[in-house]
């Protein structure tokens, strides 16, 4: 199995206000927005999250215009950050994706779900239900009649070598994913359960919806990483990002 990390844009944020309260308050930084692609040994293409909508390339304020959050978060996307372009670099199109797994349904994780009408889209059932009722999850990106969802519960092995790990706190029923690779070993896609190393180093969880629960989930991931000698891939860490292999390179 191969794991590709696709760069699909950045967000210019007030770091303290958005991801690490108490650390770098008022400092503007660019954070990466990743999408992950798995190519299984039996030839299936699996996308983990779908990034920000392509519309942000020409209209950065497309999602949050006029909203309070736009003062501390601005999407920054170049044409090559379109998920369609990133897949094309690997000779793939959206129709080639068999399965999409959403860690959760915030705008930077499900923004292009609409493209994957031939895929099955896997989401935690309770998360999906909460997201449909809550304005912080832009429903226009995921609650679409032409999409086929498979709603899961608990922590199943979604496909061989890919386990769901429940990590609530960032959002209700947020899920991380444990990916078992032959050569590179176990990797944990934390998504927004851990945004960045500073959250761990400074015990800074105030940017999460439920800080106490987020801290417990982060500890769960740390424990898992230790137990399995796994690499933690943080959700939006610009420092770690520089050290990672990006598509077309891959982990395997
Ligand atoms: Zn995010």
């Amino acid at each position: 199995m191969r794991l590709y990390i696709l760069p699909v844009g950045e967000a210019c944020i007030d770091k303290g206000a958005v991801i690490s309260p108490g650390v770098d308050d008022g400092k503007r930084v660019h954070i990466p927005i990743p999408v992950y692609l798995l190519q299984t040994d039996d030839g299936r293409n699996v996308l983990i999250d779908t990034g920000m909508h392509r519309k942000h390339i020409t209209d950065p304020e497309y999602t949050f215009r006029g909203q309070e959050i736009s003062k501390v978060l601005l999407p920054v996307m170049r044409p090559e950050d379109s998920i369609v372009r990133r897949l094309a670099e690997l000779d793939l199109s959206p129709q080639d994706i068999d399965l999409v797994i959403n860690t959760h349904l915030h705008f930077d994780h499900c923004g292009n779900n609409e493209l994957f009408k031939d895929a099955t889209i896997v989401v935690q059932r309770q998360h999906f239900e909460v997201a449909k009722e809550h304005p912080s999850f832009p429903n226009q990106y995921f609650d679409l009649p032409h999409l086929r969802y498979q709603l899961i519960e608990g922590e199943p092995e979604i496909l061989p070598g890919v386990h769901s790990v429940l990590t609530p706190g960032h959002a209700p029923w947020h899920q991380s994913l444990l990916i078992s690779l032959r050569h590179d070993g176990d990797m944990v896609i934390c998504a927004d359960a851990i945004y960045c190393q500073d959250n761990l180093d400074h015990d800074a969880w105030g940017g999460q919806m439920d800080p106490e629960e987020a801290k417990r989930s982060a500890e769960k991931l740390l424990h898992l990483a230790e137990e399995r000698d796994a690499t933690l891939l943080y959700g939006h860490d610009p420092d770690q990002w520089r050290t990672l292999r990006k598509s077309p390179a891959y982990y395997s």
Side-chain angles (χ1 to χ4, degrees), residues 221-250:
L221 292 180
L222 286 174
H223 183 73
L224 181 68
E226 192 172 71
E227 197 177 69
R228 306 189 58 122
D229 195 22
T231 305
L232 293 173
L233 298 172
Y234 304 136
H236 302 287
D237 187 321
D239 296 324
Q240 184 188 46
W241 183 250
R242 282 187 274 278
T243 70
L244 299 174
R245 266 173 242 168
K246 262 82 74 184
S247 178
Y250 55 85

Side-chain angles (χ1 to χ4, degrees), residues 11 51 62 65 68 119 142 173-174 188 192 197 207 211 240 243 249:
Y62 181 62
R65 179 171 284 107
E68 202 56 24
F142 63 88
W173 288 278
H174 177 283
V188 178
D192 292 354
Q197 184 70 43
Q240 184 188 46
T243 70

Side-chain angles (χ1 to χ4, degrees), residues 104 106 108-109 170 192 195 236:
H104 64 300
H106 280 148
D108 54 323
H109 295 261
H170 175 71
D192 292 354
Y195 289 125
H236 302 287

